[in-house]
Amino acid sequence: MSWIGRLVAPVVVLVGLAVKFGGFSIKVFGVFLAVGGYALIWGWEFAVGFVLLIAVHELGHYVEARRQGLDPALPVFVPFLGAYVALRNAPFDPWRNALVSIAGPILGGLGAAALLVVGELRDDRFLLALAYTGFFLNLVNLIPAGPLDGGHVLRAWKVLRQGGGRARPEDARRLGRVVALLAAGTAAALAVGMFAAHVPQDRL
């Protein structure tokens, strides 16, 4: 039964660290758990690249929230589900929340675009595959449903469109149009990036 011990031991260590160091350990070791989980599917190199793409996406949320003077928590990685950035003590503001939500796909798309450029210059199919995955990941996050970034953007847009969230309803509706254009433009740019990064089978 020694194999059971080898499986259980890391879990016991992680639980002990979580008890000793609290939430910070969950954030740190969540990254390693995420890499390990994805490596089981795609191999460690792709797993590391994939998690870094997620980190860049979450950094977009974090940086925008800090820019607005909010108090975001560090990104928390959840293996096989992704990651999230929690806003602490932040009252709902549709305009600010929309910007924080869109910032993730925007910075994530820029990260994928950097991989695309380097991959094309070096004719590196691995980097192109990562770039394609990055564009796809961020585009999916803009689907206007559920807990995805697009779902948060949709809820903020609905409030603004109805004239809420600002002292003057006309200002709210104007910001709502900006949110819609920004979300649509980001989604279109990500789709173009996917098309550009796609590697045909005859090039694999």
Side-chain angles (χ1 to χ4, degrees):
M1 302 294 288
S2 61
W3 63 273
I4 296 179
R6 286 195 291 269
L7 288 175
V8 173
V11 176
V12 173
V13 171
L14 287 175
V15 171
L17 288 170
V19 172
K20 182 175 179 62
F21 297 106
F24 177 74
S25 66
I26 297 175
K27 293 179 175 67
V28 173
F29 290 101
V31 176
F32 295 102
L33 286 173
V35 173
Y38 294 124
L40 293 175
I41 301 175
W42 295 302
W44 74 268
E45 291 178 315
F46 194 92
V48 170
F50 187 72
V51 171
L52 286 176
L53 284 169
I54 295 176
V56 172
H57 172 100
E58 296 302 326
L59 188 62
H61 296 311
Y62 183 84
V63 170
E64 174 58 23
R66 289 297 298 268
R67 186 191 69 82
Q68 295 187 24
L70 302 176
D71 183 25
L74 290 173
V76 176
F77 286 79
V78 182
F80 303 112
L81 293 178
Y84 66 91
V85 170
L87 297 180
R88 296 172 292 203
N89 305 316
F92 177 75
D93 181 298
W95 170 244
R96 299 174 75 177
N97 282 53
L99 291 182
V100 171
S101 297
I102 294 175
I106 289 177
L107 191 60
L110 290 174
L115 289 175
L116 172 61
V117 171
V118 176
E120 286 289 357
L121 290 175
R122 298 175 55 181
D123 193 24
D124 190 322
R125 293 163 182 76
F126 175 78
L127 292 180
L128 292 177
L130 270 179
Y132 182 90
T133 303
F135 288 124
F136 177 75
L137 172 72
N138 287 281
L139 184 59
V140 167
N141 260 284
L142 277 178
I143 294 175
L148 298 174
D149 294 332
H152 294 297
V153 172
L154 178 63
R155 286 188 287 275
W157 172 76
K158 285 181 176 179
V159 173
L160 293 170
R161 184 190 62 172
Q162 295 169 358
R166 286 295 177 274
R168 299 172 56 190
E170 56 269 28
D171 291 339
R173 296 188 186 96
R174 177 178 57 81
L175 292 177
R177 290 192 291 271
V178 174
V179 168
L181 288 173
L182 189 57
T186 302
L190 292 170
V192 171
M194 281 182 63
F195 179 80
H198 180 256
V199 180
Q201 287 195 353
D202 60 358
R203 291 184 58 193
L204 294 175

